Amino acid sequence: MSLKHDIGFTLNGVKKRVTVDVGMTALDMLRDVVGLTGTKYGCGEGECGACTIQVDGLSMNSCLMFAVDCDGRDLVTIEGLAADPRADALREAFVEHGAVQCGFCTPGMVVQAAHILATHPDADAETIKRGIEGNLCRCTGYKKIVDAIESACCGGK
């Protein structure tokens, strides 16, 4: 037997109402119910950060959050950053610094980086490293990612 619940929330600036199973994760809701597939499933355990979204201005692993807990909240996904000038600077910096290789971690990394820029506009490399600790990348070794975020944040210092 499956229990369903109606929830309402703001997603990328747009009011949404959906019906979800009470045991569904926010990640599954975003991908399977709403149809936004930019947020990736990585580990399902909150260890990799591929599913990072912003909830009420805080970065969260959407695989660890129940969809019903999104009720009344403000969610931002990688798709929602499309209109954000800081995210434009991040995307350009990621390309310029070679911080994108396979691309699987990129959506979560960019969402987390946008959160870092919003909360620490003058972040140095150490703050950035600390800020992306929960986001794993198996390709770049992180230096290029840190350099890209620092470039977007502070114009390359």
Side-chain angles (χ1 to χ4, degrees):
M1 184 170 121
S2 174
L3 297 174
K4 303 270 188 185
H5 192 73
D6 293 327
I7 60 172
F9 53 92
T10 302
L11 177 62
N12 301 328
V14 178
K15 299 276 188 198
K16 293 279 185 189
R17 289 209 62 77
V18 297
T19 301
V20 296
D21 289 329
V22 294
M24 177 179 274
T25 66
L27 173 62
D28 289 337
M29 175 194 65
L30 290 169
R31 293 181 62 79
D32 301 337
V33 177
V34 180
L36 295 181
T37 57
T39 304
K40 304 299 181 200
Y41 176 89
C43 67
E45 299 176 358
E47 295 293 326
C48 73
C51 67
T52 302
I53 62 172
Q54 292 180 19
V55 179
D56 296 334
L58 301 173
S59 62
M60 307 271 292
N61 292 325
S62 61
C63 73
L64 295 181
M65 182 177 190
F66 286 114
V68 293
D69 291 330
C70 295
D71 195 28
R73 314 284 290 272
D74 181 30
L75 281 61
V76 178
T77 66
I78 187 68
E79 293 90 348
L81 294 178
D84 185 338
R86 289 179 302 213
D88 285 341
L90 280 169
R91 283 188 293 275
E92 290 172 16
F94 268 59
V95 170
E96 181 181 319
H97 289 272
V100 177
Q101 289 187 14
C102 84
F104 194 80
C105 72
T106 305
M109 197 70 77
V110 170
V111 171
Q112 183 61 26
H115 180 258
I116 293 168
L117 294 183
T119 57
H120 302 285
D122 295 320
D124 59 12
E126 288 307 310
T127 302
I128 294 166
K129 288 177 190 175
R130 191 87 164 138
I132 63 169
E133 281 180 349
N135 294 77
L136 300 181
C137 175
R138 295 180 180 176
C139 300
T140 67
Y142 300 98
K143 178 169 179 12
K144 294 176 181 182
I145 293 170
V146 171
D147 290 347
I149 297 169
E150 191 170 24
S151 174
C153 173
C154 312
K157 279 191 184 175

